Amino acid sequence: MNEPHIYAAIHAEVLDAMRGLYPALAEDSIARIVVEPPRDATHGDMATNAALVSAKPLRLAPQAIAQALAARLAGTATIREATPAGPGFVNIRLDEDWLRSRLPAVLLSGAAYGEGTIGTGKRVDVEYVSANPTGPMHVGHCRGAVVGDALANLLAKAGFDVTKEYYINDAGAQVQALAYAAYFRYLQALGTTMSEDEYALLVPGGLQYRGEYLVPVGKALAEAHGDAYALADAEHGFGLRDPGEWLAPVRAFTIERMMESIREDLAALGVTMDVFISEATLIERDAVTTAIATLDAKGLVYQGILEPPKGKTPEDWEPREQTLFRSSQFGDDTDRPLRKSDGSGTYFANDIANHADKIARGFNALVHVWGADHGGYVKRMQAVVKALSDGAVTIDIVLCQIVQVVKNGEPVRMSKRAGTYVTLADLIDEVGKDAVRFTMLTRKADAQMEFDLDKVKEQSRDNPVFYVQYAHARCRSVLRQMPDATAQSLAAAPLDTLTDPAELALLRRILAFPRMIESAAEAREPHRVAFYLADLASDFHGLWNRGREDATLRFIREDEPAATQARLALVAATASVIRAGLAVMGVTPVEEMR
RNA sequence: GGACCCGUAGCUCAGCUGGAUAGAGCGCUGCCCUCCGAAGGCAGAGGUCGAAGGUUCGAAUCCUUUCGGGUCCGCCA
């Protein structure tokens, strides 16, 4: 069990002090007290708003409370100095001995450092990727995959019991069209002379998926079933047999193959799912009907007619009575249809079943990572979860904005026809899995991103992938020179020689890691890990560079074995924290730069 | 027409859920390598946080309006 991190420790001290000073202070005011790093580091290590938030309930001047609080906090073993400031802040300067004393625990906990407790006892389901199984994954899926995976890792790090989930859209018209496309490749494998365009005229919706990736599927079908699914045809050799005789098995076979390739792509990206949920299976289990019935029992389903969409009304719009869900009662703009005119469930209805299933599986919190094009879907899904769980289950939806791939300063156009379609596998081949993952996390999810293929491979200060990896490699290179130093031996080293501002800055950064994990998890923002690591790397490189001008600041000094041990402890802790952070991001640390 | 996301230094972006004099990298300017850790280092300039109102002790952050950019918008998934 980790001891509380430094912010939690000081927060507890501040609360104690406030309770001691003002026994009458209500708990809801106490709950608003925070301890944070001040924006300006010259103000100290931490600052608290305790006086500001309790001034009104106590009917006292904030400055007076700040005075009293500062007096009470100063001079403990942890706090060297507490001073009232500004409108009523109390600035806190930590005792440096205390800070140094926290380092051994970092070394000893190793990869576990930063594990938090905010998620303890909570089960969270993170659903991401969920690409339709109609073809290979492309860069458009990539950001969601990385963000979702890192977010899941982050939540696990913060103490949640996490399930990584992939929802397979294997029920609708898209996979039907996919099956027809695979069937064409099957006929080709048998030797049909029919052209794509001829075939397109024979099947509903035409030939929608013309990619080469279905060729092996067609071959496999031919190997497995011979010509049993085809019809001898004088003109082309082989032609279309009644779909009733082959469509279902061909569809199942093709989806299975597509999912295999998706799993491979994900594995190349370092993503492994815990659970795959099939939309078709939910329908077979009658989960959709059941879920709608549940909503109906709550009085949230009715027959009604929707207003036409505002603005551009579709040509063929006509008012129609439909089965609707009252999502507008939960903040959605309008109610939403549950059944198509043929009586089958809409995609939305199926997704309601999916969420009812999640809730039934006992999750306390649901998280989705979606592309920006699903933005319009957010409110209705939140409405569903609120309605089904009576507000007991939380749902957070992280929207990832578009990624623009740039090469040689030119945007790469995404076009299947022009052959400039960038698959995920291509991207990984080009820059490597680690660079892809790290780079995808160097923007917050809701900002658009440019993925510059050249920049990502660049070895310079402004490429954070390189910069962070380089810091780790430098740490490892120093440690390799002192092979006797282990985490255990370094954890026992006296640290009182660590007094240089650059050393202390690095130490403070290391000690801030658990708090960063906590707040990033709470905000569902994995990109913060990347920014933290860049800052940590910057502190480390800064210290390294100091050693260039001032030889007494080098890590290894033959004449000063004690100081060397202390610095190695700092270096080992730095490497350890970088590894812990990269682990959350799903990036493999490097031992040396090449 | 409506919904959602973004708008912060010349450029690319952070800003820890409302805190103090708004930060980083790149670029720019000026210094620093015959050698010792320069794929670099140090210092400096650069901002009415798109605009206008509002909420309060306090706003880049919350609300309203508005201007740009993006993603979408009834039985598609």
Side-chain angles (χ1 to χ4, degrees):
Chain A
M1 193 63 206
N2 285 326
E3 49 188 352
H5 60 72
I6 55 174
Y7 289 89
I10 299 302
H11 184 245
E13 284 199 35
V14 169
L15 294 194
D16 277 354
M18 287 300 286
R19 287 199 175 101
L21 286 165
Y22 307 103
L25 189 59
E27 280 303 314
D28 62 326
S29 301
I30 288 183
R32 293 175 56 209
I33 296 175
V34 296
V35 172
E36 304 180 307
R39 189 174 280 180
D40 184 342
T42 62
H43 290 138
D45 294 302
M46 298 180 188
T48 179
N49 62 351
L52 288 162
V53 300
S54 47
K56 195 174 274 183
L58 289 172
R59 296 172 175 281
L60 290 169
Q63 286 87 352
I65 302 174
Q67 284 280 349
L69 177 61
R72 186 147 177 147
L73 288 174
T76 65
T78 53
I79 297 172
R80 196 182 75 201
E81 198 179 288
T83 47
F89 289 100
V90 175
N91 289 328
I92 293 168
R93 210 170 283 279
L94 298 172
D95 184 85
E96 287 172 5
D97 282 327
W98 183 63
L99 286 173
R100 285 186 283 263
S101 77
R102 309 284 302 200
L103 191 62
V106 178
L107 291 165
L108 294 175
S109 44
Y113 179 57
E115 283 176 5
T117 55
I118 60 168
T120 305
K122 291 184 193 147
R123 294 188 58 213
V124 56
D125 178 76
V126 184
E127 184 188 310
Y128 57 107
V129 189
S130 298
N132 290 347
T134 53
M137 293 183 64
H138 55 78
V139 289
H141 301 119
C142 179
R143 188 176 191 183
V146 172
V147 168
D149 202 53
L151 178 52
N153 294 342
L154 176 62
L155 291 169
K157 185 87 180 168
F160 288 89
D161 178 3
V162 176
T163 298
K164 298 180 176 182
E165 185 164 320
Y166 188 119
Y167 178 61
I168 310 171
N169 298 138
D170 53 0
Q174 305 281 325
V175 287
Q176 186 96 329
L178 178 77
Y180 276 108
Y183 183 76
F184 176 65
R185 296 302 188 182
Y186 160 75
L187 293 181
Q188 281 191 318
L190 293 176
T192 187
T193 58
M194 195 184 292
S195 73
E196 289 190 3
D197 292 333
E198 284 171 304
Y199 180 77
L201 295 174
L202 299 176
V203 296
L207 182 54
Q208 293 184 28
Y209 298 99
R210 301 190 180 212
E212 299 275 311
Y213 60 88
L214 287 173
V215 172
V217 178
K219 277 199 185 119
L221 278 167
E223 277 162 28
H225 301 283
D227 59 5
Y229 288 157
L231 201 63
D233 176 299
E235 190 186 347
H236 297 108
F238 287 100
L240 199 67
R241 186 177 275 274
D242 177 3
E245 295 177 39
W246 55 265
L247 187 57
V250 166
R251 180 172 55 203
F253 184 89
T254 309
I255 290 171
E256 191 43 52
R257 282 308 184 93
M258 292 299 104
M259 285 310 297
E260 264 171 43
S261 101
I262 286 172
R263 275 178 228 241
E264 277 168 27
D265 283 344
L266 287 175
L269 192 59
V271 175
T272 313
M273 295 287 170
D274 298 316
V275 177
F276 288 82
I277 298 287
S278 151
E279 183 185 5
T281 306
L282 287 172
I283 295 168
E284 280 164 32
R285 282 192 353 221
D286 267 342
V288 180
T289 319
T290 312
I292 293 177
T294 307
L295 291 175
D296 201 6
K298 292 173 188 282
L300 296 170
V301 177
Y302 69 105
Q303 299 295 316
I305 298 169
L306 284 179
E307 296 287 306
K310 302 271 158 47
K312 59 152 213 200
T313 306
E315 310 271 314
D316 58 346
W317 169 268
E318 52 189 55
R320 188 174 7 239
E321 193 175 77
Q322 294 175 289
T323 306
L324 300 171
F325 166 58
R326 293 189 192 279
S327 51
S328 59
Q329 277 191 13
F330 300 88
D332 199 0
D333 313 307
T334 173
D335 294 338
R336 304 290 177 178
L338 297 173
R339 297 208 177 276
K340 302 183 199 174
S341 46
D342 67 0
S344 66
T346 57
Y347 175 80
F348 176 54
N350 298 351
D351 216 8
I352 292 174
N354 177 27
H355 284 75
D357 182 58
K358 288 177 200 286
I359 293 168
R361 283 188 282 149
F363 293 108
N364 310 97
L366 307 180
V367 175
H368 285 276
V369 178
W370 288 346
D373 53 344
H374 287 62
Y377 207 70
V378 170
K379 283 184 181 172
R380 78 188 71 169
M381 221 59 255
Q382 289 173 330
V384 163
V385 172
K386 244 183 255 173
L388 286 173
S389 75
D390 295 315
V393 175
T394 66
I395 174 163
D396 290 294
I397 294 164
V398 177
L399 288 182
C400 292
Q401 295 292 326
I402 304 286
V403 178
Q404 171 83 267
V405 179
V406 172
K407 189 171 189 176
N408 305 323
E410 294 280 315
V412 177
R413 290 204 168 276
M414 286 286 293
S415 160
K416 291 184 189 183
R417 285 171 194 240
T420 53
Y421 177 82
V422 184
T423 65
L424 176 58
D426 289 342
L427 188 65
I428 294 172
D429 279 350
E430 175 110 15
V431 301
K433 161 218 143 201
D434 290 322
V436 169
R437 291 192 64 127
F438 198 109
T439 305
M440 287 293 174
L441 292 167
T442 55
R443 295 276 181 283
K444 53 187 173 198
D446 49 16
Q448 285 167 247
M449 173 159 89
E450 206 172 77
F451 191 105
D452 188 326
L453 291 173
D454 309 306
K455 194 62 145 278
V456 166
K457 289 186 281 189
E458 198 174 287
Q459 302 208 332
S460 73
R461 174 72 180 88
D462 64 327
N463 177 5
V465 187
F466 165 78
Y467 197 62
V468 170
Q469 290 282 27
Y470 189 27
H472 184 259
R474 274 181 157 175
C475 289
R476 300 300 301 164
S477 136
V478 170
L479 293 167
R480 271 195 298 274
Q481 293 179 44
M482 303 291 281
D484 294 339
T486 62
Q488 284 71 23
S489 75
L490 292 174
L495 301 172
D496 51 310
T497 53
L498 296 178
T499 54
D500 187 84
E503 292 171 329
L504 291 170
L506 181 57
L507 173 61
R508 287 184 167 96
R509 184 81 67 188
I510 287 167
L511 297 178
F513 181 69
R515 179 178 183 273
M516 182 280 297
I517 291 291
E518 214 173 81
S519 54
E522 210 136 19
R524 315 287 193 241
E525 290 187 343
H527 76 277
R528 290 192 200 178
V529 179
F531 282 92
Y532 168 86
L533 289 179
D535 287 340
L536 176 64
S538 173
D539 289 333
F540 177 76
H541 289 304
L543 179 56
W544 178 288
N545 289 325
R546 289 287 307 281
R548 227 189 243 118
E549 296 147 23
D550 181 352
T552 65
L553 276 176
R554 297 199 176 177
F555 297 118
I556 298 171
R557 296 187 60 203
E558 313 261 311
D559 53 330
E560 296 274 2
T564 299
Q565 287 300 304
R567 287 188 184 140
L568 289 179
L570 192 58
V571 171
T574 303
S576 177
V577 173
I578 292 175
R579 281 197 297 278
L582 290 179
V584 170
M585 298 173 70
V587 173
T588 311
V590 301
E591 295 296 310
E592 53 187 329
M593 302 308 287
R594 296 178 169 277

